[in-house]
Amino acid sequence: MSTHVEQREFQAEARQLLDLMIHSIYSNKDTFLRELISNASDALDKLRLEAFRNKDLNVDTSDLHIELDVDKDARTLTIRDNGIGMSRDEVVDLIGTLARSGTGELRKKLREAKDAAASEELIGQFGIGFYSAFMVADKVTLVTHKPGQDAGTRWESSGESTYTIEDVEDAPQGTSVTLHLKPEDADDHLYDYTSQWKLEEIVKKYSDFIAWPIRMEVSRTTKGEDGTDEVTFETKTLNSQKALWARSRDEVSDDEYHEFYKHVAHAWDEPLEIIPMRAEGTFEYQALLFIPTHAPFDLFARERKTGIQLYVKRVFIMDDCEDLIPEYLRFVKGVVDAQDLSLNVSREILQQDRQIRAIRRRLTKKVLSTVKDMATQDADKYRTFWNEFGRVLKEGLISDTDNRDTLLAISSFDSTASAEEQTTLAGYVERMKDGQDEIYYITGESRQLLESSPHMEAFTAKGIEVLLLTDPVDEMWVTSVPEFEGKAFRSVAKGEVDLDTEDEKKAAEAEREEQEKEFGDLLTWMKETLDEHVKEVRLSSRLTTSPACIVGDTFSMSPALERMYKASGQPVPHTKRILELNPGHPLVSGLRAAHDGRTDDPALADTAELLYGMALIAEGGEVDDPARFTHLLADRLARTV
């Protein structure tokens, strides 16, 4: 028997509000099932907690579960739980949100929301996730019974101007929500939600790790002995319930972690490192992260995925949540399960969320500390990591100033100290010569090119170690990072180099002054001759075997960095550099003698141009006019045969 039937009206704007919700808030209609299963899971959690608190509560908690019940003929889908249920007043208060005073404010918020993703977050704020059911249903019927109440409550609405609410006798413990489904409409992304495979797909995607079993009766077709099809039915649990991140490390086997990694990362390799995390206090979250063994093929692709999934209370919210991990750690895979976020939090809201920012900071520090442990405790594993991800990790030296010191400490680089083993910056500093107060480096395309660069000659001669930086990102971070442990970074291809000791400087002072006098006229003439290309011509202290090299000012942009900016479409003003001459090289001393003897000889200008072009090519650059350079070189060679 039903008693106390009551019909209530929504506020005048309710219908328009429902239209806004159905067509604007949710971008994916499948999420209605996520919302209703999440509500059911909360009801089961609350019942279990209440049963602990109230020992006199007459309630059955032996088989708490969620059930999906499909009636294809009637085109209904019922989501049922045997959880805490609701009283009549709670139904009016919680399910009837639209009938309360929040309607006007919600409409205002919806108008202010710029797009569907931003407005979707409002559902959680106003408690109207239940109404997502009207995206897929013409009518929704809710029957609920709270333990300790004499009767249950039945609520029903077609989403128009009214809803009905009444008492019902003999309603089972918990809540059931029956959706009278709309016709299937593929163009409107409205699928057949009585389809067994579709429901299994949605549960697997959004609710696989819900702690309670989600059950559904499924059909199985087999061949009988007479060859005819036989259809049998069985109850199937659709979700795995295996939220590995909610279990302690010693409760989970490596095989389970590896299988979960392959599932969440869509990968074939084994994880290089497993990082479980748990935070309690002001806000709570759990995380399970993985560092892969191999870099994904799209690590440097524009459309790459970050690989961190966001859950709220084990309910899947978002794939590839970019706000949970910095860009330079995009290779990290795994899940984060937050306890206090809205189920409908949007990407735009995440960027402003204080909790998400705090989680991001902690995840970042945990990953970096894990890499640091690898470097100190397992050299082979660290070497594998750095070979795969070192290039992308160094991007953090530019973007993450808060963790820059940690990043510098865990980074490795090629250097002239060893052809086989890379070095850390701490190792470099430890090997620095007495009196050396700078970390020297050179950037370029390959180790072979850098080792043969004229800029390296004086450093090689004096046995001073130089970092050989060949990744494109190296061109960027060395200009952003001022120092390491008080030692400034210094390019061997910029500024003036002075590697002599005080005694060596005194011994060579007279010779140096004499050279400046001898080559003064040549330097002035070459500056005038090559004025289009260089800002200065001077004698070099960094050359031992090459006749010339080109260097930049201490804080100038390197040619390689200029090329990178131009390749990306960014205009870069051309910067003249400095041509340095080796006074001890026969070509330079011969050019000086020739200039002193026949100042007006036009062939000398060609020689100066060739000398400049040779210096450009020696550092891996390109001459401005290859055809002219080739013509001058061929003409000069022809005179020697």
Side-chain angles (χ1 to χ4, degrees):
M1 295 291 295
S2 297
T3 59
H4 194 189
V5 179
E6 184 180 0
Q7 184 176 46
R8 296 192 176 194
E9 289 189 2
F10 288 121
Q11 293 183 358
E13 298 173 320
R15 180 57 198 166
Q16 187 176 3
L17 180 56
L18 281 170
D19 286 340
L20 280 171
M21 288 178 6
I22 293 169
H23 299 111
S24 300
I25 294 182
Y26 284 95
S27 55
N28 181 358
K29 292 181 172 60
D30 288 355
T31 54
F32 84 92
L33 190 56
R34 178 191 75 182
E35 296 289 338
L36 297 178
I37 288 177
S38 178
N39 289 345
S41 177
D42 286 344
L44 295 171
D45 289 337
K46 290 175 182 177
L47 179 65
R48 183 175 61 175
L49 180 61
E50 188 62 24
F52 280 124
R53 289 176 175 172
N54 185 359
K55 300 302 181 183
D56 297 328
L57 189 67
N58 183 21
V59 64
D60 180 12
T61 60
S62 61
D63 182 27
L64 299 180
H65 65 277
I66 301 166
E67 181 183 349
L68 305 185
D69 188 8
V70 172
D71 186 334
K72 282 184 172 291
D73 295 332
R75 283 197 54 75
T76 63
L77 168 65
T78 299
I79 297 89
R80 184 180 296 111
D81 68 74
N82 55 349
I84 192 67
M86 290 176 282
S87 67
R88 182 187 180 105
D89 289 342
E90 287 173 334
V91 171
V92 173
D93 187 48
L94 299 175
I95 303 300
T97 300
L98 293 182
R100 295 191 290 115
S101 60
T103 305
E105 185 181 356
L106 180 54
R107 281 180 51 77
K108 178 182 176 183
K109 294 289 186 181
L110 284 171
R111 286 195 301 269
E112 292 174 354
K114 300 301 183 183
D115 55 29
S119 58
E120 190 166 321
E121 191 272 341
L122 296 171
I123 301 169
Q125 284 188 14
F126 287 85
I128 57 176
F130 167 81
Y131 282 85
S132 63
F134 286 103
M135 288 190 300
V136 300
D138 291 318
K139 184 172 66 174
V140 177
T141 303
L142 176 142
V143 177
T144 184
H145 188 191
K146 185 173 185 176
Q149 297 286 313
D150 294 334
T153 302
R154 184 178 186 271
W155 179 100
E156 186 172 273
S157 177
S158 58
E160 299 293 341
S161 60
T162 64
Y163 64 90
T164 63
I165 188 166
E166 59 185 303
D167 296 337
V168 294
E169 302 293 336
D170 301 325
Q173 169 189 312
T175 301
S176 66
V177 181
T178 300
L179 312 182
H180 302 263
L181 296 168
K182 296 177 181 179
E184 184 178 357
D185 185 351
D187 292 337
D188 193 30
H189 303 287
L190 189 61
Y191 303 106
D192 180 8
Y193 295 110
T194 66
S195 167
Q196 175 180 314
W197 73 265
K198 182 61 179 176
L199 294 175
E200 290 190 56
E201 176 191 67
I202 297 173
V203 170
K204 194 69 177 175
K205 179 176 182 180
Y206 291 105
S207 307
D208 192 47
F209 304 115
I210 290 288
W212 307 106
I214 303 170
R215 300 170 182 164
M216 182 173 69
E217 187 178 71
V218 298
S219 61
R220 182 188 300 274
T221 303
T222 58
K223 290 290 184 182
E225 294 181 359
D226 58 357
T228 59
D229 289 340
E230 293 184 358
V231 179
T232 58
F233 294 90
E234 63 180 20
T235 299
K236 179 180 180 181
T237 299
L238 305 183
N239 59 324
S240 71
Q241 302 173 244
K242 292 183 178 180
L244 298 189
W245 60 83
R247 297 157 62 186
S248 63
R249 182 70 169 86
D250 55 4
E251 292 178 354
V252 184
S253 69
D254 286 345
D255 287 342
E256 287 180 294
Y257 277 131
H258 292 176
E259 285 303 314
F260 182 74
Y261 162 74
K262 292 176 182 178
H263 164 73
V264 75
H266 307 292
W268 55 268
D269 60 336
E270 302 291 338
L272 185 67
E273 197 66 60
I274 303 166
I275 311 174
M277 293 180 64
R278 179 188 297 269
E280 298 176 346
T282 307
F283 57 91
E284 299 181 4
Y285 68 89
Q286 297 163 327
L288 179 56
L289 306 181
F290 301 92
I291 297 177
T293 301
H294 299 286
F297 70 92
D298 62 347
L299 187 61
F300 294 97
R302 286 180 178 273
E303 62 278 5
R304 61 184 173 269
K305 304 296 186 182
T306 56
I308 302 293
Q309 296 180 355
L310 175 63
Y311 285 74
V312 174
K313 298 178 182 176
R314 299 197 186 185
V315 179
F316 175 77
I317 299 299
M318 192 180 299
D319 235 338
D320 307 310
C321 186
E322 299 171 356
D323 299 287
L324 284 171
I325 206 80
E327 179 80 359
Y328 69 90
L329 294 180
R330 57 184 176 271
F331 54 85
V332 175
K333 308 296 181 183
V335 301
V336 172
D337 187 359
Q339 300 301 307
D340 302 316
L341 290 176
S342 161
L343 279 177
N344 301 283
V345 67
S346 69
R347 291 187 184 276
E348 288 75 12
I349 297 299
L350 278 178
Q351 295 171 3
Q352 308 300 324
D353 193 279
R354 181 178 61 86
Q355 294 184 21
I356 289 294
R357 294 198 299 271
I359 293 173
R360 175 190 175 106
R361 287 193 298 270
R362 294 182 184 180
L363 295 184
T364 301
K365 289 185 180 298
K366 183 63 175 179
V367 172
L368 296 183
S369 68
T370 300
V371 175
K372 187 175 183 179
D373 290 342
M374 269 196 284
T376 56
Q377 300 171 15
D378 193 331
D380 289 339
K381 184 180 287 189
Y382 169 77
R383 192 177 298 110
T384 298
F385 166 82
W386 190 257
N387 289 339
E388 295 292 325
F389 304 111
R391 181 178 170 189
V392 67
L393 195 77
K394 285 188 287 186
E395 294 176 10
L397 293 172
I398 306 167
S399 60
D400 190 354
T401 55
D402 291 340
N403 293 295
R404 182 173 285 169
D405 290 343
T406 302
L407 286 165
L408 287 171
I410 63 176
S411 295
S412 293
F413 308 94
D414 286 335
S415 88
T416 54
S418 172
E420 290 78 29
E421 296 291 332
Q422 291 187 315
T423 182
T424 62
L425 292 176
Y428 179 102
V429 171
E430 189 176 328
R431 293 188 297 271
M432 286 173 60
K433 293 184 174 297
D434 292 340
Q436 181 181 343
D437 56 4
E438 294 176 312
I439 299 173
Y440 293 107
Y441 70 88
I442 184 172
T443 61
E445 295 182 1
S446 69
R447 181 183 183 114
Q448 181 181 3
L449 181 65
L450 296 181
E451 287 181 324
S452 60
S453 170
H455 301 115
M456 293 284 293
E457 292 175 3
F459 294 87
T460 301
K462 290 185 174 291
I464 296 176
E465 183 177 355
V466 178
L467 300 179
L468 307 174
L469 308 180
T470 57
D471 290 331
V473 68
D474 292 329
E475 294 283 354
M476 305 289 291
W477 75 257
V478 290
T479 61
S480 304
V481 180
E483 62 178 28
F484 173 77
E485 294 186 356
K487 307 294 184 181
F489 289 95
R490 173 75 181 277
S491 171
V492 303
K494 293 181 182 179
E496 293 196 52
V497 170
D498 186 1
L499 303 178
D500 292 338
T501 64
E502 290 300 322
D503 291 340
E504 290 173 333
K505 290 177 185 176
K506 290 180 181 179
E509 185 175 355
E511 181 183 3
R512 185 72 175 181
E513 291 178 355
E514 183 64 26
Q515 288 176 339
E516 292 289 348
K517 293 178 181 178
E518 291 179 357
F519 286 86
D521 291 343
L522 176 67
L523 297 178
T524 301
W525 171 77
M526 287 192 68
K527 168 63 177 68
E528 295 172 352
T529 303
L530 300 173
D531 185 64
E532 181 183 352
H533 306 290
V534 301
K535 63 181 294 185
E536 182 184 350
V537 181
R538 68 190 183 201
L539 296 182
S540 177
S541 59
R542 75 183 86 213
L543 296 173
T544 59
T545 58
S546 298
C549 69
I550 298 176
V551 300
D553 288 328
T554 304
F555 301 106
S556 65
M557 186 181 297
S558 70
L561 190 55
E562 282 188 17
R563 290 193 293 270
M564 286 173 58
Y565 278 122
K566 289 177 180 177
S568 65
Q570 300 185 49
V572 179
H574 176 68
T575 303
K576 292 183 180 181
R577 299 167 71 208
I578 301 165
L579 178 64
E580 289 192 351
L581 303 181
N582 179 3
H585 195 279
L587 176 57
V588 176
S589 58
L591 182 59
R592 177 189 62 80
H595 178 263
D596 289 346
R598 47 182 203 279
T599 306
D600 298 329
D601 187 349
L604 295 180
D606 294 342
T607 303
E609 190 173 345
L610 282 172
L611 189 60
Y612 169 73
M614 289 164 55
L616 268 178
I617 295 171
E619 71 168 6
E622 299 177 354
V623 294
D624 296 335
D625 189 345
R628 172 173 171 77
F629 181 82
T630 304
H631 172 75
L632 291 175
L633 182 61
D635 182 61
R636 191 56 53 90
L637 289 173
R639 300 179 190 179
T640 65
V641 297

